[in-house]
Amino acid sequence: MSRWRDLTGETSGDDYAARFAALAGSGKDVHGEARFCSALVPAGARVLDAGCGTGRVMIRLAELGYDCVGVDLDASMLAVARKQAPGLPWFQADLAAFEPDRLGVPADFDLVVAAGNILPLLAAGTEAAAVGRLAAVLRPGGLLVAGFGLDEAHLPVPPGITLAEYDDCCAAAGLTLVDRFATWDADPYEGGGYAVSVHRR
């Protein structure tokens, strides 16, 4: 069982969407992840939103002109995404067993983004498999971008993966660290409880 399923019961899609809608309504910028990704690859690039949830990041990237595909395991989150953007491709799949060809999706993404604590919320012990699957769908030179918490202050569950362990997973999957930041606004990473990592295939 994934840590996310254990935490939410996979019934939190509407509540999750409402929380971000309230943040946006209060004037808070909720598009930092999409802005970060758009600085890495040009409009028109193929982007996989891995752990897309209710689609907040992917819908914004699609609005900016990206060719996007969303994958998530939580049906309640995907139901919200499909309601908000019925014209976009949303798929239910486990990232640790993700096979895009079975879904009719070409495995030649320019960028894979895993925002929202995806890695720490996977089922324990599946992190390396998930990273391997995500690396495999990148074209040569493609980027994997993952932002996640590293301590209890930045996670809703006990920490499940360190940066060193994540880097090891990426190296085993043939990825090289390009850069690391402390936020989706690209603040320099100098240690701390949250990191956004960019790896290249």
Side-chain angles (χ1 to χ4, degrees), residues 20-34:
F20 277 96
L23 288 172
S26 72
K28 184 173 177 61
D29 177 18
V30 296
H31 296 303
E33 299 98 329

Side-chain angles (χ1 to χ4, degrees), residues 1 48 70 79 97 114 132 190 194 199:
M1 179 178 290
L48 174 68
E190 299 173 347
Y194 191 89
H199 287 79

Side-chain angles (χ1 to χ4, degrees), residues 60-97:
R60 180 58 178 159
L61 285 169
E63 291 172 349
L64 295 173
Y66 291 87
D67 179 9
C68 300
V69 173
V71 176
D72 203 283
L73 189 58
D74 187 334
S76 75
M77 303 285 269
L78 287 170
V80 175
R82 289 173 177 139
K83 183 177 180 180
Q84 292 183 339
L88 295 179
W90 309 101
F91 296 98
Q92 186 174 12
D94 182 348
L95 295 181

Side-chain angles (χ1 to χ4, degrees), residues 135 138 142-144 167 169-180 197-201:
L138 286 169
L143 300 172
L144 171 61
D167 286 342
C169 290
C170 288
L175 303 177
T176 302
L177 180 65
V178 175
D179 216 335
R180 177 163 284 143
S197 305
V198 182
H199 287 79
R200 188 185 304 277
R201 181 177 179 187

